[in-house]
């Protein structure tokens, strides 16, 4: 009788579209009512409130053209709506729902599970997987709504909805709680996916799986703001959000959320994700395990100032191969533990890491791994703090500036900034308080603007495998077209700028470290030229190993700007340094000759010194010829063999013929008298002309060929040695003088 009464009450309520409240009803009776057809059920459908459904509600394959509404109803067993068709389905605030079988379910309106406590897992048809709610290939015309829903999957999946189609929005709202995976791979969702204040804590692995899903709106994981003033409820996902090869037409927003578990997997696994709008991590998010957006495509990526990306020793933000149509911005104050990897990415705007704290990188030591990246805008790293690793931009292509003004990079065991083989369309700024504890590597880098190191601190405490000499700055083979500004605050122990090419060298020569390598470095002018030759020579004296090239380069710059004398002095100093460097290795007799050559004519650059030396030698020889002992040793001989001293004839050998008596014979027959010309028989002796004839061998005045020191005289042999040495010295000095002019003519 009671059963008949409940039957009549159910059918009466169904026909009138009213609620059936309280009590219990058999599941078979509900099936019978649903099978009665649309003609006997009000368009408002079957509506039950606080009713206990006894037994298993089996509506598999039932085509009910009306809604099924269960408010506060308890179910003894999991309902089965596999392949069913209803206008709308609501199981709201169910105190006990052991599960739901709804594979292939077709709901023309909403599917609402709000407030229900779903506890229990079951294997799906043809599957070994266990899940609490089965919605594989279901078609929901409206929304799938889970407001304050609780799903206890007991180690299985909370929601299994592979390839489901949802015409509205998937909403996991407010107090939604699940201890298993929300699985939606291949789903087609016309609206958005909203995870608002939800707590999803699978025992391992994945929290939400949207792999290959298509979302017509946005994907939001945000906090829930209560209208009554209660504190917001932060979403907590103890596993990963998987969205590999998914498509999101709107935005991806993560705000004030706790993401990621203890398994080390990224909080967001979204390789090849396609997003029509932006990806934003906002508020005070805590992201464990990092974000994987490899080969993804989106408009912008922003990480808010209060966020923390935590993946120590792993990748905290992975953008390998990503296509970013605008900017990538990690805002000041963000803490990133792990590596920011953007290798081979294409960023059409700026990469901004201003004021970010980076630490605990991967084992390879890269805090920013950006090898091969293409940035159409700028790399903005101002005020960045990096500890335990380096900023790696090997082979990067940066359209505008690379700016690390005021940044600090602490990596004493290796590089701090690596721009090896990079191309920068603007300037590279490591200035105004920039601190590097490691080596800044700019080898074979091309910089269209300036390399600005003003007021930077560069220290390398020890060598490393790729920096065996422990340089603080390396720029081997770099090309800096806009010039160098090297007015650093401190740099030690050394720098290596071999084969660097630039237009302007703006530096303070006295601020360079004690050890420099500048072989092959070329520049056209100085930035603020003082043309202090002495300071520049002190600068080049700091070369670790002597190289003549930097001296020649310096001399070319001085000569090009009109400082000819300074240029020659620089080249002279180059020869001095070369001689000293050679003598450090071996004793070479040529060193003495080279030193004499340098002292005499400045290695050919000071030919005027030769003229003065010749003049001094000329005066010395002339003065010696006024000394009586030297004069008395000089002799001359006429064609007949008569010998003369400078004061007259000494020996008469042939007085000449008797008739006729030529004048010279007549004079020869006379008694000797004091006459420096031998009564006209020999060339008159002149000390000055004799000195010129002795010292300057390029001309002949007949003095040296006429008068000679006699070895028989008291001081004749000494005078002979003195005059011969003067002749050799004259030859040497004259030759150097001529060769010096020849060299100057070649180098002019």
């Amino acid at each position: 009788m009671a059963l008949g009464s409940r039957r009549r009450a159910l059918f009466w309520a169904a026909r009138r579209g009213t609620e059936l409240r309280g009590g219990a009803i058999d599941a078979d009776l509900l099936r019978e009512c649903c099978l009665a057809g649309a003609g006997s059920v009000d368009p408002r459908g079957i509506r039950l409130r606080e009713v206990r459904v006894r037994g298993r509600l089996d509506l598999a394959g039932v085509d009910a053209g009306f809604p099924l509404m269960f408010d506060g109803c308890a179910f003894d067993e999991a309902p089965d709506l596999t392949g069913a068709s209803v206008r709308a389905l609501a199981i709201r605030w169910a105190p006990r729902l052991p599960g739901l079988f709804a594979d292939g379910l077709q709901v023309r309106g909403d599917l609402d599970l709000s407030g229900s406590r779903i506890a229990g897992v079951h294997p799906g048809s043809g599957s070994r997987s266990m899940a609490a709610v089965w919605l594989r290939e279901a078609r929901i015309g409206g929304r799938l709504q889970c407001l304050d829903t609780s799903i206890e999957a007991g180690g299985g999946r909370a929601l299994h909805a592979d390839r489901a189609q949802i015409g509205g929005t998937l909403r996991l709202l407010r107090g939604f709680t699940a201890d298993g995976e929300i699985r939606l791979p291949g789903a087609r969702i016309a609206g958005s996916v909203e995870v608002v204040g939800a707590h999803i804590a699978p025992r391992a692995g994945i929290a939400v799986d949207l792999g290959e899903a298509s979302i017509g709106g946005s994907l939001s994981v945000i906090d829930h703001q209560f209208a009554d003033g209660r504190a917001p409820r932060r979403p907590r996902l103890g596993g990963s959000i998987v969205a590999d090869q998914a498509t999101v037409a709107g935005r991806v927003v993560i705000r004030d959320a706790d993401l990621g578990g203890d398994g080390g997997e990224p909080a967001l696994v979204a390789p090849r994700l396609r997003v029509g709008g932006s990806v934003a991590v906002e508020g005070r998010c805590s992201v464990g395990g990092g974000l994987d957006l490899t080969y993804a495509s989106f408009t912008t990526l922003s990480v808010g100032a209060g966020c923390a990306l935590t993946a120590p020793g792993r990748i905290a933000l992975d953008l390998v191969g990503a296509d970013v149509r605008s900017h990538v911005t990690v805002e000041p104050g963000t803490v990133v533990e792990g590596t920011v990897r953007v290798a081979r990415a294409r960023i059409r705007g700026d990469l901004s890491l201003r004021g970010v704290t980076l630490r605990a990188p991967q084992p390879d030591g890269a805090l920013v791994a950006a090898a091969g990246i293409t940035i159409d805008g700028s790399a903005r790293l101002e005020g960045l703090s990096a500890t335990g690793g380096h900023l790696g931009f090997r082979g990067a292509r940066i359209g505008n500036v690379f700016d690390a003004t005021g940044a600090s990079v602490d990596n004493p065991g290796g590089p701090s900034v690596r721009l090896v083989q990079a191309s920068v369309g603007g300037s590279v700024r490591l200035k105004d308080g920039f601190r590097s504890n490691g080596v800044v590597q700019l080898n074979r880098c091309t910089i269209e603007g300036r390399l600005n190191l003003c007021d930077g601190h560069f220290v390398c405490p020890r060598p490393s495998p790729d920096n065996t000499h422990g340089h603080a700055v390396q720029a081997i083979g770099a090309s800096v077209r806009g010039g160098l500004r090297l007015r650093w605050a401190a740099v030690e122990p050394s720098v290596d700028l071999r084969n660097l090419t630039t237009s302007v060298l703006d530096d303070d020569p006295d601020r360079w470290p004690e050890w420099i390598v500048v072989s092959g470095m070329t520049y056209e002018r100085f930035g603020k030229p003082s043309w202090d030759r002495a300071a520049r020579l002190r600068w080049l004296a700091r070369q670790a190993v002597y190289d003549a090239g930097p001296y020649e380069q310096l001399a070319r710059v001085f000569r090009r700007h009109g400082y000819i004398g300074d240029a020659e002095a620089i080249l002279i100093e180059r020869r001095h340094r070369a001689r000293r460097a050679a003598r450090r290795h071996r004793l070479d007799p040529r060193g003495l000759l080279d030193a004499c050559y340098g002292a005499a004519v400045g290695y050919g650059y000071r030919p005027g010194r030769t003229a003065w030396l010749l003049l001094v030698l000329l005066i010395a020889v002339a003065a010696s010829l006024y000394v009586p002992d030297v004069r008395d040793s000089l002799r001359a001989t006429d064609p007949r063999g008569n010998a003369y001293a400078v004061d007259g004839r000494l020996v008469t050998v042939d007085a000449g013929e008797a008739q006729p008596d030529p004048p010279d014979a007549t004079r020869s027959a006379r008694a000797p008298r004091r006459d420096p010309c031998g009564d006209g028989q020999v060339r008159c002796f002149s000390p000055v002309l004799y000195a010129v004839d002795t010292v300057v061998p390029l001309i002949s005045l007949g003095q040296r060929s006429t008068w000679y020191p006699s070895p028989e005289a008291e001081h004749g042999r000494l005078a002979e040695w003195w005059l011969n040495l003067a002749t050799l010295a004259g030859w040497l000095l004259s030759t150097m003088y001529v060769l010096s002019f020849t060299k100057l003519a070649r180098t002019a």
Side-chain angles (χ1 to χ4, degrees), residues 176-238:
F176 178 87
T177 303
D179 64 358
E181 174 187 345
I182 306 299
R183 180 176 170 82
L184 291 151
R188 298 293 180 264
I189 302 170
S192 299
V193 175
E194 298 177 357
V195 182
V196 182
H199 291 183
I200 303 173
R203 294 189 178 180
I206 300 172
V208 179
D209 188 350
L210 291 166
E212 301 182 16
S214 176
I215 301 172
S218 298
L219 170 60
S220 303
V221 182
I222 62 178
D223 62 328
H224 179 78
Q225 303 287 336
F226 290 98
D228 56 7
R230 285 182 289 169
R233 191 172 193 260
R234 294 169 60 90
R236 300 180 187 276
L237 276 65

Side-chain angles (χ1 to χ4, degrees), residues 225-364:
Q225 303 287 336
F226 290 98
D228 56 7
R230 285 182 289 169
R233 191 172 193 260
R234 294 169 60 90
R236 300 180 187 276
L237 276 65
S240 302
I241 300 175
V242 175
D244 57 306
Q245 302 187 61
T247 301
V248 180
R251 304 172 62 211
V252 175
V253 182
I254 302 172
R255 185 179 67 224
D256 290 319
D258 296 328
L259 304 183
D262 299 328
E265 293 297 322
L268 175 62
V269 181
R272 302 189 184 279
L273 171 68
R274 297 291 180 265
V275 183
S278 61
V279 177
V281 183
E282 304 171 346
R284 303 188 66 82
C285 284
S286 176
V287 181
L291 303 174
D292 180 358
L293 292 165
T294 55
Y295 299 99
S297 174
F298 43 84
T299 301
T300 62
L301 170 65
S302 62
V303 180
C307 296
L309 305 183
T310 306
R314 303 189 302 278
I315 300 173
L317 177 59
D318 198 344
L319 293 173
V320 168
D323 184 3
V324 185
R325 297 184 291 278
S326 187
H327 306 303
V328 172
T329 303
V330 183
E331 295 183 0
T334 305
V335 177
V336 180
E337 292 189 6
T339 294
V340 176
R341 189 168 72 168
V342 287
R344 302 185 302 280
R346 174 69 183 272
I347 300 175
R348 302 175 192 273
D350 293 343
L351 171 63
S352 178
L353 299 174
R354 296 179 182 177
V356 175
T357 298
L358 304 176
R359 56 179 179 242
Q362 284 183 296
D364 65 359

